[in-house]
Amino acid sequence: QVQLVESGGGLVQAGGSLNLSCTASGSILRINDMGWYRQVSGTQRKLVAEITETGDASYSASLKGRFTISRDNARNTAFLQMSDLEPEDTGVYSCKIDYVSSRYHYTMAYWGKGTQVTVSS
């Protein structure tokens, strides 16, 4: 079994900052990619940022450099630093990992339950 614990969401005014974290544990041999996705009610989840095991990061083009993703491989944790937040950033932010199962030795994906981020204008 795998567990993903996300934290750091909340309510913030436009222009403010939030830092999200996602820690994975359980039957994990290694984690390849870690990513953050945003979902607004009634729409599909969309990629915000993702990072490879070696630290190569990619972002949604709409972010305009306001977010930074990073990870700590020793702690199986990904971080998302969000700054200059806008009301359009509001949504449920979910962490996703692509990992190699220590039980089955093949790659699997796992999603966290998500954390709510609300940006007021």
Side-chain angles (χ1 to χ4, degrees), residues 14-26:
S17 300
L18 283 174
N19 295 318
L20 307 183
S21 67
C22 165
T23 300
S25 61

Side-chain angles (χ1 to χ4, degrees), residues 73-107:
N73 289 336
R75 293 194 291 157
N76 284 346
T77 299
F79 305 95
L80 185 67
Q81 296 175 284
M82 306 186 293
S83 61
D84 195 19
L85 284 160
E86 303 171 352
E88 292 75 21
D89 296 320
T90 294
V92 175
Y93 284 70
S94 298
C95 179
K96 173 182 175 280
I97 62 169
D98 294 315
Y99 70 101
V100 178
S101 168
S102 60
R103 180 175 182 182
Y104 302 108
H105 290 256
Y106 57 77
T107 301

Side-chain angles (χ1 to χ4, degrees), residues 5-10 16-23 34-39 46-51 57-60 63 65-72 75 77-85 89 91-96 115-117:
V5 177
E6 298 144 320
S7 63
S17 300
L18 283 174
N19 295 318
L20 307 183
S21 67
C22 165
T23 300
M34 304 184 79
W36 287 97
Y37 291 72
R38 179 175 67 237
Q39 186 173 27
K46 293 183 178 180
L47 177 67
V48 174
E50 61 184 353
I51 186 168
S58 58
Y59 300 89
S60 168
L63 293 179
R66 297 181 294 115
F67 292 7
T68 301
I69 189 170
S70 60
R71 63 188 282 176
D72 182 339
R75 293 194 291 157
T77 299
F79 305 95
L80 185 67
Q81 296 175 284
M82 306 186 293
S83 61
D84 195 19
L85 284 160
D89 296 320
V92 175
Y93 284 70
S94 298
C95 179
K96 173 182 175 280
T115 183
Q116 176 70 43
V117 171

